[in-house]
Amino acid sequence: MTRTRQGTVYALIDPRDEKIRYIGKTTQPILNRLAGHLAQPTNPAMRVWINGLNLGGLIPRIETVATASEARLDAEEKHQIRRHIKQGHRLLNAPYYQQHVSDLSHLQPDEQTPQADEVEHWPPAMGLARLVFGRLARARAASRVPAWAAALIVVAAAPLYLMLLMLRALFNTRAGIYLLLAGGIGSILWDAGFDAAVRDLLLSRLPLEEWSTLWGVYMAPPLAELAPSTAFTALVTAVVLAGVSYAEVAKATPRPACIRTTDDVVSVAAAALAGAIPPAVEGLTTDPKA
């Protein structure tokens, strides 16, 4: 008894939005058929879609939809195409791709630049990071500064950035505000002539010699021993903080319009393909019975 040869109806799925974009049939293993699509897309819209995925380092995902005997495979494929169209899937099968090709220009990659409203809700410290690293990030986005030069600038600016972060943290606290107010009031009083009163009435009653001895004998030597290791730790911390902050600023910096991204390339190709569709088929119905 001759065994009936089986075939497979499969779906190609876009990994970026998990939408089914193509229904096909094969009597081969489905991974072999996927390799055939990658090597030779079935129609122009498929070529734009697959090339756009390739630019992002992606390929379609293939899944089995149904199986049927080889004699019924054509009918089952047509049935599945009509069923998926009726369910609202915007397939790139001919002739439906002529209406759905515009979808390709709206697909976005997995990682997107933060939108303006997201940036507004960043932690306040990021405002300082944009102030320090904003111009560098814009220059890097425009390819005016090479990556190695940007890295050196970030490392060189790291100590200043850490100091600004500490000052910002200090003066964002109630104690820091009181200290700032006390310093300002003290400076005004000192300039007004109260310096003599401070020297005669206050400093004369303070044990300055004992404090000096305490500092020189018990405090200065241990601090001098700790200084090298503390300075190294602070420098490493500053570099890490500066690098992370610069990376966030760079991620939020828009690329100049003259620099093409993956989305730009796919959008141009999709628009060109849509414009090449003859006017006579622009009103093509997507009725599954057609």
Side-chain angles (χ1 to χ4, degrees):
M1 183 176 179
T2 304
R3 183 178 178 182
T4 302
R5 189 177 182 187
Q6 291 291 108
T8 303
V9 178
Y10 59 87
L12 295 183
I13 301 170
D14 194 311
R16 296 169 295 189
D17 58 11
E18 296 299 319
K19 292 183 178 179
I20 295 174
R21 289 292 172 180
Y22 186 82
I23 299 292
K25 67 179 188 297
T26 184
T27 55
Q28 310 172 38
I30 59 173
L31 290 181
N32 289 358
R33 187 65 189 104
L34 174 60
H37 278 301
L38 296 178
Q40 188 172 1
T42 307
N43 58 57
M46 285 273 288
R47 185 177 300 278
V48 171
W49 176 51
I50 290 176
N51 287 347
L53 288 174
N54 290 340
L55 287 172
L58 302 171
I59 61 173
R61 192 172 76 252
I62 189 167
E63 291 184 359
T64 298
V65 173
T67 57
S69 65
E70 189 172 11
R72 293 192 61 256
L73 195 56
D74 285 347
E76 182 63 26
E77 180 196 33
K78 293 176 182 177
H79 167 69
Q80 292 295 339
I81 290 174
R82 289 194 300 268
R83 184 172 74 87
H84 281 77
I85 287 291
K86 189 174 181 179
Q87 291 174 351
H89 296 280
R90 298 176 65 82
L91 301 181
L92 297 179
N93 294 74
Y96 302 105
Y97 78 80
Q98 296 171 342
Q99 283 195 321
H100 302 160
V101 68
S102 60
D103 295 1
L104 300 178
S105 63
H106 302 300
L107 292 174
Q108 300 293 326
D110 291 337
E111 295 184 2
Q112 302 182 28
T113 300
Q115 301 299 317
D117 56 345
E118 295 175 351
V119 172
E120 290 176 359
H121 292 89
W122 276 358
M126 287 309 300
L128 180 61
R130 293 199 298 273
L131 177 65
V132 176
F133 299 119
R135 292 184 62 183
L136 176 62
R138 289 191 293 272
R140 178 75 191 103
S143 299
R144 295 196 303 269
V145 176
W148 62 267
L152 287 179
I153 294 172
V154 170
V155 171
L160 173 63
Y161 180 62
L162 178 61
M163 182 180 69
L164 292 176
L165 276 179
M166 294 173 64
L167 289 174
R168 189 186 182 285
L170 174 63
F171 292 115
N172 267 2
T173 63
R174 183 173 298 180
I177 294 174
Y178 288 160
L179 181 62
L180 182 62
L181 289 175
I185 294 172
S187 175
I188 294 172
L189 294 177
W190 189 275
D191 291 338
F194 282 87
D195 54 321
V198 172
R199 286 194 300 267
D200 296 341
L201 301 177
L202 180 60
L203 296 182
S204 61
R205 288 175 168 77
L206 294 178
L208 298 181
E209 292 185 4
E210 290 81 353
W211 288 359
S212 178
T213 301
L214 176 66
W215 171 260
V217 175
Y218 298 105
M219 302 296 292
L223 290 176
E225 291 291 332
L226 288 172
S229 59
T230 304
F232 177 76
T233 302
L235 180 60
V236 171
T237 302
V239 171
V240 171
L241 284 174
V244 171
S245 299
Y246 171 76
E248 292 298 324
V249 173
K251 188 186 301 183
T253 301
R255 298 166 65 88
C258 60
I259 298 179
R260 291 290 183 186
T261 64
T262 297
D263 283 345
D264 294 330
V265 174
V266 176
S267 296
V268 170
L273 178 58
I277 296 175
V281 298
E282 286 184 355
L284 178 70
T285 178
T286 55
D287 186 344
K289 296 181 180 179

